[in-house]
Every structure is written in C-alpha cells, then in structure tokens.
Amino acid sequence: MRSTGSPCSARPSLPTEVKPHGQPLWLLAELTYKCPLQCPYCSNPLDFSDYSSELSTQQWLDLFQQGRELGAVQLGFSGGEPLVRQDLKQLIGGAHEMGYYTNLITSGVGLNADKMADFRDAGLDHIQVSFQASDESVNNMLAGSEKAFQQKLNMAKEVKAQGYPMVLNFVTHRHNIDRIDRIIELCIELQADYVELATCQYYGWAHENVEQLLPTRQQLEHAEQVTNRYRQQLEEAGNPMKLIFVTPDYYEERPKGCMNGWGQVFLTITPDGMALPCHSARMLPIEFPRVTEMSLQEIWDQSPGFNYFRGDDWMQEPCRSCDEKDKDFGGCRCQAYMLAGDMHAADPVCGKSPDHHKIEAVRQRSETVRNDSSAFVYRNTRNSRIFARG
Amino acid sequence: MNDGVISQVDQPRLNPMFRFQWEKAQDCYVLLYPEGMIQLNGPAGEIMALVDGKRSVADIIITLEQKFRDAGDLTEDITGFLGDAYAQHWITL
C-alpha cells in the first residue's frame, strides 16, 4: 500500500533499499490448534474447529528459512499444544541449525524427561511452562484436567534439572490473583529464572469469559503490591529471578502500543498457513495472506493485510490529531473491532475514545459479579462449533 | 561476593541463560534469551566475542589492544563493561 512511488501515497516515496517498516524479529509458529486442555482464556480463535488442516514438516522448515532471511531471530513453537505435533523434534532441529533462538511454549501436558532431553539435543533453547494457578484445585478447574497440575510441577522441575532457562507463565484472573504470594513462593521453590504474572488479555475465549476473569481494581492493586514486596525481597537475597507483572489494559486510560506496531516486529503463522501480524488478528475483516500462495517476504513487505495498519493514514479522530499516536498507534485493532465495532476506531481502552464507557462498564461489573466456575465457556471443540461457520 | 569490581585474573563465562551470536540482519552481535534480544554495540560485541570461560580479563584486554592499536589503553573500558555485564547477569566469573 505504501510501496515505492505509489500514486495514492500522501507521503514522499522512499528509496527502494529502505523499507518503511521493521523486520519480523519474532516468528510465532502455531503448529496446531489441537490441545488436551480447555482453558477458558485461550487466545486461539473461537471458531478454531473450522480450521483443521495443518502445514507439513517441510512447509514449516521452508517458512523458518524464509523468516530467518527476513531477519527473524526468535522462533516460538506454540499452538494449541505444540507437543501434539509428532515432528516437533525435527522442526526444533531445523530451526536451531538456521540460527534461531528456539522457544517451546507449552502447557507441559504430554511432556516427559526423555522428550525434553531429545529436544535439548536437537537444539531447543527454552521451554516456557504455563500454569493456571498455584493451587491444585483451582488450576485443575481452570484447565479442565485433574492430572494437569502435578504434571506441570514435575515438568517444571525437569526443565530446570536439564539446564534449560526456566520461564514460568502464570495467567492471573479474579479466581487466582489473590493467591499471588503463593504463586511467587512456588516459583522461588522451582528456581524459575523469569516469572510472567500475566493477567488475561481479553481476546478469543477470554473475551467470552471476561466477566469471570477480570479482577477488580482492588484485587489488581493488592497483587501488584505483593509482587513489589517480593521483588524487593529477591533483590535483597541476591536472587536473580525476575518477576514480570502484566496488568490488564482494561484498567488503563491509554491503550498499549499493541505488538510494537502493526507489522513491525511480529509475525504469526496459523496451523493452516495464514500469516498474521498478531495472533488475534484472524478475527478482523481483513483478507490475510496465506503462506502457500506467497513468499514470507512478499507477505511482510507487500501484502495488503500486513500494510493495512502500518503508518497512521488509516487513523480516525481522536487518534489522528493525538500527540501520543506514535507511542500507542491507536491501541489494539482487535479490541477496537470487538468493542467499538470498527477496527479503524480508537482502542476503547483509551480515555479519549467515545466507546470508553464500555470498558468502564466491564470494570464496574467486576465489582459485583460473583465467582462462578460453572459460568465459564471452556475452549473445546464442542463449544467452538457454536462459533464456527461450518 | 563481587561488588561489580572485575579483577584481571577473572575468567568470565557467558551465563548459560544467554546465547551470543552474530546477526547479519542487525549487523551486530546479539545476546539472545527467552523471548528477547539485546543488540550489542561494536565494542561490547568485540569484548563478548572473547568471553569463553578460559581467557582472563587481562587476556581480553591485551587481545583487543593489539587488534585496535589506535585505541590506546582499554583497561578501564573493558573492565567497566564487564562489570556492567556481570551486574546484568550476562556473564559469571
């Protein structure tokens, strides 16, 4: 759209060797939508059951090579549950040889010590295990699996024993955030290197379940205080463990600079081969390119989908004249689409958005809603068919 | 332990949490870690390229002073950088 010398472009054309956007440093390979868990905050699309085809081993390896040539350096194996793919070791090995830093993002279900050692041999750099809560019953309730928690604990210990850097990811929400001290204690016990205490991002399944997930402001402030107290204790003890606390943008007055800008750093490939500028973007009414029809270079540099929200020509008021537009890029396009009904609108998280009252209403509801785990819409094929077109 | 002061006999080693490599696309050395990347500037990259757990700090200084003869005495720059790298947990001693 803003390619060299376009007669429609309002800007001076750029010399051909200078690209008007960044490199896809982060390549996220969603290998499959299959998953043994049913987390009610899964970021996969609601209608995932519509997309059952998967790229082949050779197609993935070819994409990794193309990504590397575009400057990609971090490669995430994700899903669904990536361990479901029988060729995972081969994919890790190929990516490692190309020079990627390889990250396996897993629930830990389906992992064992032998597989972990195999992946290590193949060149896997890092395993991130996600937890649902520190307490066994809450964790299992949220994951929809009885054995999941014990398995995760065992796998986290094994990750460390095999010398991998350990990043633990705890998804926090109103059911578990008051236990954040126990979550952190567990991480200290497991000798984690990094801990992400990340509140749900309300897309996909999490958006369906926002009432049962969004903590109250008071819960959030309490959790942040506890986290800060532990940070201080860790520093005093000379413990290098890093606590990363991610707040839900629903309690902000300015939107996040989503994905560091559309098509600037991040490239996701879905199990069935669609290329996206972020893992939620599939919900938008944009025709995104398919890796089976175009090279990654054409996708990144030229495809209408990846150029759609680059720059700021697409912006409406209040973004267009806002002096913070270069910082937050108008916020998240998916959130604008979901909440304002227009993907070109300001992210309703922003206090300047005419739809900001919708965010305030959700916050307000969080003060009165009662925790009820039976109200969750779990992420499974049966529920997905309700949202699917097929 | 070591309050940021690097001794000439220390043999710094890369923290196994990080991977160090040349990135053609960035045209610089980088440190890679779970889901992140630190781009090193020219001098920092030259120093880190010599950190192997065997060379002492004194070896690193001599090697770089021979490589960059016009730069003069590099002791302070190199120990200063390694002190920072240690504080950031990029290296162990």
Side-chain angles (χ1 to χ4, degrees):
Chain A
M1 288 186 63
R2 197 163 294 122
S3 58
T4 313
S6 157
C8 315
S9 173
R11 294 179 159 190
S13 62
L14 292 152
T16 43
E17 65 275 19
V18 179
K19 290 181 183 174
H21 48 75
Q23 294 166 318
L25 296 177
W26 234 117
L27 183 60
L28 187 72
E30 292 184 335
L31 298 179
T32 179
Y33 282 138
K34 295 193 185 89
C35 183
L37 299 183
Q38 310 178 25
C39 304
Y41 44 77
C42 181
S43 64
N44 284 164
L46 292 166
D47 56 357
F48 72 85
S49 63
D50 253 6
Y51 315 108
S52 56
S53 72
E54 289 183 7
L55 297 176
S56 69
T57 311
Q58 201 46 53
Q59 280 174 310
W60 277 117
L61 289 171
D62 180 47
L63 288 166
F64 298 163
Q65 188 62 51
Q66 292 183 48
R68 194 76 184 107
E69 280 157 24
L70 282 175
V73 63
Q74 290 279 350
L75 178 60
F77 296 104
S78 168
E81 173 51 67
L83 291 165
V84 171
R85 284 283 297 220
Q86 298 302 307
D87 55 357
L88 184 55
K89 185 183 171 185
Q90 200 182 339
L91 296 176
I92 292 168
H96 174 74
E97 271 178 30
M98 296 172 203
Y100 279 104
Y101 190 93
T102 50
N103 305 272
L104 173 60
I105 299 156
T106 177
S107 68
V109 176
L111 198 56
N112 59 46
D114 288 345
K115 270 192 203 170
M116 238 184 262
D118 261 8
F119 295 158
R120 190 84 179 140
D121 289 344
L124 183 63
D125 290 294
H126 155 229
I127 300 178
Q128 178 187 298
V129 182
S130 300
F131 279 80
Q132 278 73 37
S134 70
D135 175 85
E136 189 154 3
S137 60
V138 179
N139 188 73
N140 290 345
M141 177 266 285
L142 290 166
S145 162
E146 298 272 316
K147 292 179 190 155
F149 184 71
Q150 200 51 49
Q151 164 70 7
K152 281 167 190 288
L153 264 191
N154 292 341
M155 286 308 105
K157 286 177 186 159
E158 190 62 31
V159 163
K160 195 73 191 175
Q162 295 203 15
Y164 285 102
M166 181 158 68
V167 179
L168 294 181
N169 176 276
F170 281 85
V171 180
T172 63
H173 40 69
R174 58 187 296 128
H175 291 255
N176 68 5
I177 197 165
D178 295 332
R179 311 286 248 310
I180 202 156
D181 54 336
R182 291 187 55 193
I183 294 176
I184 298 172
E185 292 284 350
L186 179 66
C187 295
I188 294 172
E189 196 185 312
L190 292 168
Q191 296 177 286
D193 295 295
Y194 294 88
V195 178
E196 286 177 11
L197 303 162
T199 45
C200 298
Q201 304 288 315
Y202 301 103
Y203 303 97
W205 296 85
H207 186 245
E208 286 301 307
N209 289 302
V210 64
E211 263 196 23
Q212 280 298 321
L213 292 169
L214 187 71
T216 64
R217 188 184 290 275
Q218 200 192 351
Q219 280 186 303
L220 198 65
E221 285 171 359
H222 169 75
E224 199 156 13
Q225 279 165 10
V226 173
T227 306
N228 285 334
R229 201 174 69 224
Y230 272 101
R231 279 185 181 138
Q232 202 177 338
Q233 283 178 23
L234 288 166
E235 200 183 326
E236 282 164 11
N239 185 333
M241 185 172 107
K242 281 204 170 63
L243 296 175
I244 300 151
F245 189 85
V246 183
T247 57
D249 56 359
Y250 275 45
Y251 284 104
E252 304 287 343
E253 292 301 314
R254 285 289 177 272
K256 55 184 181 259
C258 207
M259 310 315 288
N260 289 310
W262 181 273
Q264 297 299 324
V265 184
F266 196 83
L267 172 60
T268 296
I269 300 171
T270 66
D272 54 324
M274 186 178 274
L276 301 171
C278 96
H279 46 273
S280 295
R282 189 164 205 160
M283 73 168 79
L284 298 175
I286 291 177
E287 196 162 330
F288 286 107
R290 308 200 72 91
V291 296
T292 43
E293 290 162 12
M294 265 188 234
S295 72
L296 274 197
Q297 186 265 323
E298 288 169 305
I299 285 172
W300 185 258
D301 290 334
Q302 291 155 30
S303 72
F306 274 74
N307 279 300
Y308 203 102
F309 291 114
R310 280 180 176 148
D312 55 18
D313 289 352
W314 57 270
M315 284 183 185
Q316 306 171 350
E317 292 300 346
C319 298
R320 182 173 279 277
S321 60
C322 180
D323 58 7
E324 294 172 71
K325 67 179 173 185
D326 294 329
K327 200 167 83 185
D328 57 38
F329 324 112
C332 169
R333 297 302 87 223
C334 299
Q335 208 143 260
Y337 181 65
M338 280 190 300
L339 299 176
D342 178 357
M343 62 179 176
H344 302 84
D347 184 338
V349 159
C350 184
K352 295 182 181 179
S353 159
D355 293 285
H356 188 58
H357 62 92
K358 292 177 183 168
I359 293 281
E360 289 172 327
V362 181
R363 284 182 203 163
Q364 230 158 32
R365 262 204 312 281
S366 79
E367 300 292 338
T368 52
V369 75
R370 292 183 52 187
N371 283 4
D372 176 9
S373 59
S374 69
F376 276 126
V377 180
Y378 287 95
R379 180 256 194 228
N380 57 38
T381 309
R382 195 183 61 231
N383 286 335
S384 174
R385 290 212 179 100
I386 297 166
F387 299 104
R389 282 165 292 227
Chain B
M1 224 161 50
N2 181 318
D3 49 1
V5 182
I6 299 287
S7 143
Q8 299 265 332
V9 295
D10 284 332
Q11 293 166 294
R13 177 186 297 274
L14 187 66
N15 176 347
M17 168 81 96
F18 292 94
R19 206 168 87 201
F20 173 79
Q21 70 186 35
W22 175 261
E23 270 303 295
K24 195 171 74 178
Q26 322 300 326
D27 195 29
C28 67
Y29 282 109
V30 297
L31 283 173
L32 300 170
Y33 59 97
E35 303 181 18
M37 175 170 77
I38 298 156
Q39 299 186 35
L40 298 171
N41 67 19
E46 293 286 344
I47 299 169
M48 287 303 293
L50 297 174
V51 166
D52 60 3
K54 295 182 195 115
R55 286 191 184 86
S56 68
V57 173
D59 293 337
I60 294 173
I61 294 169
I62 292 167
T63 307
L64 289 176
E65 282 180 351
Q66 281 171 352
K67 187 167 174 184
F68 301 100
R69 288 181 184 281
D70 298 339
D73 184 354
L74 293 174
T75 308
E76 210 170 294
D77 289 349
I78 293 173
T79 51
F81 169 77
L82 289 173
D84 289 346
Y86 178 74
Q88 300 282 337
H89 305 286
W90 297 347
I91 57 170
T92 57
L93 300 175

